Amino acid sequence: MISEIVDNEADKRSITISIIAASKVNLALQQNSVPVLRDIVLNNPTDVSYQDLELTVTTSPGFAKPKAWHITRLAPDTEFSLHDRMIELNPGFLEEVNEAVRGTYNFSLNSRDKVLATASCDVQVLSRNEWGGIQELPEILAAYVQPNSPFIQEILRTAAKVLQGIGHAPKLDGYQSRNRKKVGEMVNAIWSAVVRQDLAYAEPPASFENTGQKIRLPEEVKRYRLVTCMDSTLLFAGALEQAGFNSLVIFTKGHSFVGVWLEDLEFGTSVVEDLQALRKRVDLKEILVFETTYVAHRPAISFNQAREEANGKLFDEDSFLLLVDI
């Protein structure tokens, strides 16, 4: 979600500050240099010209460093939009957040020690492993895909042994073969390797796709052997990416699952909301999708059954939300 901040205390003949800002911030935004202030507009409806103004922003708690903008002149009956809207998020603070906390952006516009306008609004400061949902910047989900995790390396070593056990070369070399069938066999081997991790299923929070949830990153999955649909989806996405494949995460209402390109292709945009575009690629056998939570089922469920389950979800147009092409 986006927060719009307006000085509600000012009357129609007073200067106002209008801000459009991210309503959730976390370490992933800082690490990817995502701007949290999207628009800053000063409105002067009066007949007075103000000189040498200073606009300041602070945050509570200190998830971002204070910043000041110097404005030479704010003319009568005008709006002034700031082009520089970057503030520096505080990585040290965000790294230490273990539970989401409420915070505020606080703005003040001053001229020669006189306060002309103030504005503030709430923001959620999320923990370092908490994803904020698809309502705002869904593509930031890629920050939670961790192909370099040691646990991912273990999974791929097991997958290579699976391939060797069925008479194939024990290697995961992405699209080098230029053969969709071989790509499918490698993805199947990764599936078998994850099944062998003895994972158990955990229910996700209600409406997690919109409100977000804490993510069990690969090392935490290894430690506790628990996965929600999102945890298992991102675990597979990390393994697929490390094996040299292009993965994607598909969201339906209350659920997520994974897909993989069978050729070295992509959609050309990070977020796709057109279900037909996805179904077309699946029908052309360019994308393979599968239900990731089936790895936690006992007795084990086959990869083909996981594929059939995911394919069935692609016909529910009312449930489909979007996909993120990692």
Side-chain angles (χ1 to χ4, degrees):
M1 296 292 288
I2 301 291
S3 291
E4 184 171 357
I5 309 171
V6 181
D7 182 0
N8 293 321
E9 296 181 359
D11 60 38
K12 293 181 180 180
R13 297 299 299 168
S14 299
I15 293 175
T16 59
I17 307 170
S18 297
I19 312 290
I20 296 177
S23 62
K24 297 178 182 179
V25 298
N26 61 5
L27 186 65
L29 297 185
Q30 187 275 330
Q31 291 291 302
N32 290 276
S33 301
V34 177
V36 295
L37 299 181
R38 312 294 164 75
D39 199 17
I40 305 175
V41 178
L42 307 178
N43 180 33
N44 179 14
T46 74
D47 56 5
V48 179
S49 177
Y50 292 91
Q51 312 292 325
D52 300 323
L53 298 97
E54 182 181 69
L55 176 68
T56 60
V57 61
T58 58
T59 61
S60 177
F63 62 85
K65 297 179 181 180
K67 182 168 181 174
W69 293 268
H70 297 282
I71 301 157
T72 303
R73 179 172 179 262
L74 186 59
D77 196 26
T78 59
E79 284 189 347
F80 178 79
S81 180
L82 274 70
H83 296 294
D84 170 22
R85 298 183 291 274
M86 289 297 297
I87 60 173
E88 187 177 352
L89 295 178
N90 186 341
F93 180 92
L94 295 171
E95 179 77 31
E96 297 299 321
V97 178
N98 293 317
E99 296 293 339
V101 295
R102 292 182 62 185
T104 56
Y105 301 97
N106 302 300
F107 290 84
S108 179
L109 181 65
N110 303 279
S111 176
R112 297 189 177 94
D113 297 326
K114 179 183 179 181
V115 178
L116 301 179
T118 60
S120 66
C121 85
D122 292 338
V123 59
Q124 269 192 302
V125 184
L126 306 180
S127 65
R128 65 184 304 274
N129 63 334
E130 189 168 3
W131 171 63
I134 65 173
Q135 296 298 311
E136 181 183 350
L137 205 69
E139 57 267 38
I140 200 65
L141 183 71
Y144 300 89
V145 176
Q146 297 194 339
N148 294 317
S149 160
F151 186 43
I152 295 292
Q153 312 305 320
E154 289 181 30
I155 289 170
L156 295 187
R157 282 196 294 271
T158 301
K161 291 178 181 178
V162 170
L163 288 169
Q164 187 175 33
I166 58 175
H168 296 307
K171 62 181 180 180
L172 299 156
D173 55 1
Y175 300 109
Q176 290 185 26
S177 68
R178 300 181 182 275
N179 185 307
R180 294 180 188 179
K181 181 180 178 181
K182 289 186 177 180
V183 170
E185 289 170 349
M186 286 186 279
V187 176
N188 195 336
I190 293 172
W191 166 270
S192 297
V194 177
V195 167
R196 296 183 185 189
Q197 303 305 314
D198 192 31
L199 305 180
Y201 178 69
E203 283 288 341
S207 302
F208 79 91
E209 71 279 11
N210 292 314
T211 60
Q213 70 169 77
K214 280 191 172 183
I215 302 295
R216 291 182 182 89
L217 299 174
E219 298 312 305
E220 191 175 0
V221 171
K222 178 182 178 181
R223 180 179 179 184
Y224 295 107
R225 304 292 167 171
L226 283 174
V227 288
T228 63
C229 59
M230 177 59 72
D231 302 331
S232 59
T233 295
L234 296 180
L235 181 70
F236 270 107
L240 292 167
E241 292 286 330
Q242 183 61 29
F245 302 119
N246 303 331
S247 66
L248 44 92
V249 174
I250 302 149
F251 287 97
T252 58
K253 292 178 181 177
H255 194 58
S256 68
F257 53 100
V258 78
V260 58
W261 288 91
L262 296 177
E263 296 184 16
D264 191 7
L265 299 170
E266 59 183 42
F267 276 110
T269 181
S270 297
V271 179
V272 177
E273 297 180 342
D274 182 1
L275 175 58
Q276 299 307 317
L278 173 59
R279 286 175 57 178
K280 177 182 177 181
R281 298 288 190 165
V282 172
D283 291 342
L284 291 172
K285 300 189 183 335
E286 293 176 344
I287 288 177
L288 180 155
V289 297
F290 57 95
E291 173 55 56
T292 61
T293 60
Y294 276 11
V295 295
H297 193 275
R298 297 295 178 272
I301 291 179
S302 72
F303 185 54
N304 284 338
Q305 287 175 288
R307 291 180 59 182
E308 290 173 4
E309 177 67 19
N311 284 332
K313 289 182 170 64
L314 301 185
F315 290 91
D316 189 349
E317 295 188 8
D318 292 333
S319 183
F320 178 79
L321 298 173
L322 55 81
L323 70 85
V324 178
D325 198 344
I326 302 299

